[in-house]
Amino acid sequence: MCLTQNADTCDLLCLDLPKAERVRKGLPGMEELELWSAGAKALGDPTRLAVALALEAGESACVCDLAWIVGRDERLVSHHARLLKAAGLARSQRDGKMVMYELTERGSALLAAVAAQRSAA
């Protein structure tokens, strides 16, 4: 048990070493944490979040459709779709003159975690 004057910090060393070591060993490596962080940052922008939600609902879409769906300029949506792709949350494939975007498995999982707040609100 920690005795504190400040509710946010301990006034004495109160390390539960077995628990702390077990938790520490279970944490992902820095490389994996950086990937998760990049994905979370990518979904931190309202336009990118809207694009990701549209991709989740529509499974795949071209930038023209995404721009109409989210009500933003096509060039802006294209930029945000590329950022989602760079973060590993979306992928694209050329289909004739169109480029179709879809969420990756990682993108869907991260979006589900973020969107869980929506149903809890």
Side-chain angles (χ1 to χ4, degrees):
M1 179 161 107
C2 300
L3 300 174
T4 64
Q5 292 177 1
N6 179 339
D8 297 330
T9 61
C10 294
D11 291 334
L12 54 97
L13 182 61
C14 56
L15 184 62
D16 179 346
L17 192 57
K19 178 181 178 181
E21 279 296 317
R22 178 179 47 80
V23 171
R24 184 180 189 173
K25 287 178 183 175
L27 287 177
M30 191 53 72
E31 188 173 304
E32 188 173 353
L33 289 171
E34 287 175 3
L35 280 173
W36 290 4
S37 176
K41 286 177 188 175
L43 292 178
D45 177 89
T47 300
R48 282 192 296 276
L49 182 56
V51 168
L53 287 167
L55 287 173
E56 183 72 10
E59 296 181 18
S60 70
C62 70
V63 171
C64 305
D65 288 342
L66 289 171
W68 189 88
I69 291 166
V70 301
R72 303 301 299 257
D73 181 77
E74 193 174 320
R75 289 178 303 201
L76 178 67
V77 170
S78 177
H79 169 74
H80 285 293
R82 285 191 311 272
L83 290 174
L84 288 170
K85 183 179 174 182
L89 303 184
R91 65 179 148 260
S92 67
Q93 181 176 337
R94 183 163 284 283
D95 183 10
K97 293 187 179 208
M98 297 187 319
V99 176
M100 302 298 289
Y101 282 89
E102 65 184 14
L103 290 181
T104 61
E105 187 175 319
R106 193 169 137 254
S108 291
L110 190 54
L111 182 61
V114 170
Q117 295 301 314
R118 184 175 169 195
S119 61

